[in-house]
Amino acid sequence: GNSVTQMEGPVTLSEEAFLTINCTYTATGYPSLFWYVQYPGEGLQLLLKATKADDKGSNKGFEATYRKETTSFHLEKGSVQVSDSAVYFCALTPSAGGSQGNLIFGKGTKLSVKP
Amino acid sequence: DVKVTQSSRYLVKRTGEKVFLECVQDMDHENMFWYRQDPGLGLRLIYFSYDVKMKEKGDIPEGYSVSREKKERFSLILESASTNQTSMYLCASSFSRILDIQYFGAGTRLSVL
């Protein structure tokens, strides 16, 4: 079946540190891949997405590249800020089958950035 | 601006009560979704709807039902609330079913005592 596995948190970094949150997926065909972010007390919002192999999604200094050969979509940022403290969710939508169009989420990774 | 509004941020109910969680979107989206979010489990899809009066079960529909009488409104119903339904509930909507961004509400934190 379709599934998403992301690194467990919490992750604690100092301001300006480099961030990587690992995400791997299992899916048939060619899923679309997403990173959503949930700031404290808020709902989820889309951070970035990629719809085909080798696509790079980017937004607010975050990047992730769709790697079909390693079934991965790791999130990176070169220099985190305190305002990046949030929970990050990796997700996919299958390209076929009964779940087509539905988001399948990883368990989330909580990031805390200290000043 | 895109807006998905959930009627309550916090709810406290008693075991056995019938509970209604309301969600309204103002973007004329076809698709609406209900998830529950639990620590260590991420988000799990309860029900979704791709049209008015249409509903489909997600991954964990047991103990829940939904209603979509109007395009903009999608209600989640707990027929007889139980303590294991204490959770954060998130509503989302999207324009297109395929490859489209889902927009989320702020969530309703439900406690069943």
Side-chain angles (χ1 to χ4, degrees), chain A residues 26-48:
Chain A
T26 302
T28 54
Y30 299 90
S32 292
L33 302 174
F34 304 82
W35 277 100
Y36 279 80
V37 59
Q38 185 179 33
Y39 297 105
E42 299 183 13
L44 277 71
Q45 57 185 273
L46 180 71
L47 181 60
L48 53 84

Side-chain angles (χ1 to χ4, degrees), chain A residues 32 38 41 100-102 107, chain B residues 9 37 40 50 97 99 102 105:
Chain A
S32 292
Q38 185 179 33
Q100 188 181 16
N102 291 349
K107 295 182 178 180
Chain B
R9 290 301 301 271
Q37 181 180 10
Y50 291 131
R97 182 176 179 184
L99 304 181
Q102 290 188 19

